[in-house]
RNA sequence: GCCGCGGUAGUAUAGCCCGGCCCAGUAUGCGGGCCUUUCGAGCCCGUGACCCGGGUUCAAAUCCCGGCCGCGGCACCA
């Protein structure tokens, strides 16, 4: 084994091919297995799958929300079905939608590669919910509860408001009164008749529609046009059916909601979709919670950059840090639809991202906290021709360095004695100077000289790389070689021997970037 | 507290439905080597897991029972 390890990889492969050709077949089969994506969807048939992603536009989405979005999209595509995007904005009071969030969510989804075929906004479909509320009342599946607070007590002990027993005509009359604005908040609600002895009290005669004073809490899209609003469970049931949704993929926090929603399907005689609930998805070391992020933003003005701060687990934050959409897709597809919770490790996401980035990102030299040393090259000049990417040697820049010029090295490299400056030549560090030994690469190899990154002082660009560490930034200050100015914001680079980074801002000749990962 | 759902290496996942091919596969991490004008990538080797306890069985990660732990829900939120 030791012998085999000491061989050149090419030699290893050659020997393998010669002696054990069947072993080389093996990886290909495994590779195919690894690419086999999601498990089949129960009850799915080609062309007959409709999925949906239904966010509340009260904030941007995070990587946990990306799971249902990506999975829904992926399954719809897998079966050549459709995907619906539906904004669930039916609570202008406690989960007030934000006007900008609709677009921010669309943008995040598009960036993630999620394509939807239809889009709906629930606050624009109020008449649909009203007519179905009427339908429920007509059929005796629901009633108008006029008991207010008392109902909660009643329901807790398996009883209900006396209006539950009234006939449909009476219910419809009350319903019209609700719509006419004759009742205030809390005075009248429409409840769905369920099993009053259901073990979960919240399921017992759950509320389908309630009154919200939109004069006080206007909705960002429809203002105070409506006072009667459907609850999540009612709106979802109606819409999922009307939109032909066949498969609902959502987190397990919705398990109980599924039970509630089934009452609506039963009332109308609709066939319910297949419900699939999966566990929570967290990203190690990141804050994902809407409320927490909002609080941090409010309580520390100036400390955070916004909802897309790279220290947050929002899609926008990960994007700003330099994570690629494809990396997020891959890890989410790998996690799949298990009911258990999953905590993505950062190193795992980083590894997937690195693999993708490595093929694409140009290599540029950035020297943190440089030591400037004067070059002594026998009075002459040297030119370093360095490819931007090892796989594309034809694209390269030239850096010219003459005797008397200064170049910057990291403190550590400057204390090494003899080094090879990448692309330039071999130098001895002595008395604060860099003395040229020769330019032979073979020499550097035979002496096993460290091959290091560097920057000329002339034209060096001040650069700051911000590395997210929990809720802080570790700031790396230094200088990058002049070529960095060829890249604008949103460029993703590999800073040689430092790590991957995404340029966030280039202002007055200085660059600010975020450290993505090693 | 009540209801529901889960527990495979540091992390994620395969296998569990239909017990043997699993002294458990893969990815990532970690350790080492080779290669390479990067401490990156690639290649090779190694490392490390079936929550615990009973039971059924010739045979259990897989089936049954009990326990422990984790998560979710218990809104006129979504």
């Amino acid at each position: 084994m030791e012998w085999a390890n000491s061989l050149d990889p090419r030699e290893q492969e050659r020997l393998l091919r010669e002696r054990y050709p069947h072993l080389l077949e093996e990886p290909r089969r495994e590779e195919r297995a690894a690419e086999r994506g999601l498990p089949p969807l129960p009850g799915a048939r080609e062309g007959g799958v409709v999925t949906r992603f239904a966010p509340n536009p009260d904030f941007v989405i995070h990587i946990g929300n990306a799971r249902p979005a990506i999975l829904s999209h992926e399954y719809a595509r897998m079966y050549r079905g459709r995907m619906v995007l539906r904004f669930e904005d039916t609570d202008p009071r406690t989960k007030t939608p934000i006007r900008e969030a609709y677009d921010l969510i669309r943008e995040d989804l598009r960036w993630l590669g999620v394509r939807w075929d239809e889009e709906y906004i629930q606050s624009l479909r109020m008449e649909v919910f009203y007519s179905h509320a009427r339908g429920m009342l007509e059929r005796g599946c629901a009633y108008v509860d006029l008991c207010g607070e008392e109902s909660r007590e009643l329901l807790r002990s398996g009883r209900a408001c006396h209006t539950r027993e009234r006939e449909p005509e009476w219910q419809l009359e009350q319903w019209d009164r609700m719509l006419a604005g004759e009742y205030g908040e809390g005075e009248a609600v429409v409840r769905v008749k369920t099993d009053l002895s259901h073990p979960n009290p919240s399921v017992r005669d759950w509320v389908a529609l309630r009154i919200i004073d939109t004069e006080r809490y206007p909705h960002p899209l429809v203002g105070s046009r409506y006072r009667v609003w459907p609850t999540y469970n009612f709106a979802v049931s109606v819409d999922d059916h009307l939109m032909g949704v066949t498969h609902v993929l959502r987190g397990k926090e919705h398990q109980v909601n599924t039970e509630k929603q089934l009452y609506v399907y039963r009332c109308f005689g609709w066939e319910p979709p297949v419900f699939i609930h999966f566990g929570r998805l967290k990203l190690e070391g990141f804050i994902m919670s809407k409320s927490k992020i909002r609080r941090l933003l409010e309580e520390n003005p100036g400390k955070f950059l916004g909802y897309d701060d790279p220290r947050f687990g929002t899609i926008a934050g990960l994007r700003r840090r330099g994570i690629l959409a494809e990396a997020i897709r891959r890890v989410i597809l790998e996690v799949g639809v298990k009911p258990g919770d999953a905590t993505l490790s950062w190193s795992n996401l980083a590894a997937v991202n690195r693999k993708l980035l490595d093929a694409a990102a140009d290599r540029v030299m950035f020297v943190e906290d440089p030591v400037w040393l004067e070059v002594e090259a026998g009075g002459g000049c040297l030119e370093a021709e360095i490819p931007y990417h090892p796989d594309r040697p034809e694209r390269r820049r030239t850096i010219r360095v003459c005797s008397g010029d200064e170049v910057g090295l990291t403190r550590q490299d400057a204390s090494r004695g003899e080094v090879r400056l990448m692309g330039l030549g071999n130098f001895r560090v002595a008395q604060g100077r860099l003395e040229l030994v020769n330019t032979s690469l073979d020499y550097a190899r035979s002496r096993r000289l460290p091959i290091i990154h560097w920057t000329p002082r002339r034209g060096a660009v001040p650069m700051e790389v911000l590395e997210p560490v929990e809720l802080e930034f570790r700031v790396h200050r230094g200088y990058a070689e002049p070529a960095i100015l060829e890249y604008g914001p949103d460029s993703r680079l590999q800073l040689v021997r430092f790590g991957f980074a995404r340029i966030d801002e280039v202002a007055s000749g200085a660059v600010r970037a975020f450290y993505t990962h090693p």
Side-chain angles (χ1 to χ4, degrees), chain A residues 167-310:
Chain A
E167 66 287 1
E169 292 69 31
W170 183 88
Q171 305 294 354
L172 289 168
E173 204 174 293
Q174 297 307 313
W175 167 247
D176 286 333
R177 291 185 160 189
M178 280 177 74
L179 289 180
E182 288 181 31
Y183 295 108
E185 279 190 10
E187 288 172 7
V189 296
V190 175
R191 288 185 183 272
V192 175
K193 290 186 190 169
T194 71
D195 177 4
L196 283 177
S197 57
H198 193 283
N200 186 335
S202 84
V203 175
R204 298 176 198 159
D205 284 10
W206 54 273
V207 172
L209 298 107
R210 79 297 205 188
I211 292 164
I212 293 174
D213 180 356
T214 40
E215 293 297 335
R216 284 177 64 193
Y217 309 100
H219 189 283
L221 260 35
V222 293
S224 40
R225 190 144 70 224
Y226 303 102
R227 288 169 48 82
V228 179
W229 288 85
T231 59
Y232 167 79
N233 280 303
F234 185 63
V236 162
S237 318
V238 170
D239 273 352
D240 277 343
H241 173 259
L242 260 26
M243 294 165 194
V245 172
T246 61
H247 295 264
V248 174
L249 300 145
R250 54 171 25 164
K252 66 179 173 188
E253 65 271 24
H254 288 294
Q255 264 166 174
V256 177
N257 290 328
T258 298
E259 281 188 66
K260 297 186 184 178
Q261 291 162 212
L262 254 11
Y263 284 97
V264 177
Y265 284 88
R266 229 171 283 145
C267 176
F268 288 112
W270 296 337
E271 193 189 331
V274 176
F275 293 95
I276 295 169
H277 299 111
F278 37 70
R280 302 280 247 185
L281 179 65
K282 283 181 295 186
L283 179 58
E284 171 196 82
F286 281 81
I287 295 186
M288 325 256 300
S289 145
K290 286 178 189 183
S291 52
K292 228 180 220 168
I293 293 176
R294 249 195 296 245
R295 188 155 17 94
L296 284 170
L297 250 19
E298 278 166 24
E299 290 174 3
N300 308 275
K303 173 167 176 175
F304 296 98
L305 279 22
Y307 64 86
D308 61 347
D309 191 294

Side-chain angles (χ1 to χ4, degrees), chain A residues 289-339:
Chain A
S289 145
K290 286 178 189 183
S291 52
K292 228 180 220 168
I293 293 176
R294 249 195 296 245
R295 188 155 17 94
L296 284 170
L297 250 19
E298 278 166 24
E299 290 174 3
N300 308 275
K303 173 167 176 175
F304 296 98
L305 279 22
Y307 64 86
D308 61 347
D309 191 294
R311 288 166 291 187
F312 297 149
T314 56
I315 295 301
L318 293 169
R319 174 172 59 217
R320 199 166 176 192
R321 179 167 181 162
I323 299 299
L324 299 167
E326 180 59 20
I328 294 176
R329 288 181 71 83
R330 286 193 190 179
V331 295
I332 283 179
L333 257 23
E334 183 181 334
V335 170
V337 289
K338 273 202 334 166

Side-chain angles (χ1 to χ4, degrees), chain A residues 143-165 170 186-192 196 201-207 209:
Chain A
Y143 63 99
V144 177
D145 172 349
L146 261 20
C147 295
E149 274 303 304
E150 198 195 333
S151 287
R152 291 168 192 268
E153 302 299 320
L154 257 17
L155 258 10
R156 225 190 309 274
S157 56
R159 290 170 297 155
C161 180
H162 61 278
T163 62
R164 188 184 207 256
E165 306 312 326
W170 183 88
E187 288 172 7
V189 296
V190 175
R191 288 185 183 272
V192 175
L196 283 177
S202 84
V203 175
R204 298 176 198 159
D205 284 10
W206 54 273
V207 172
L209 298 107

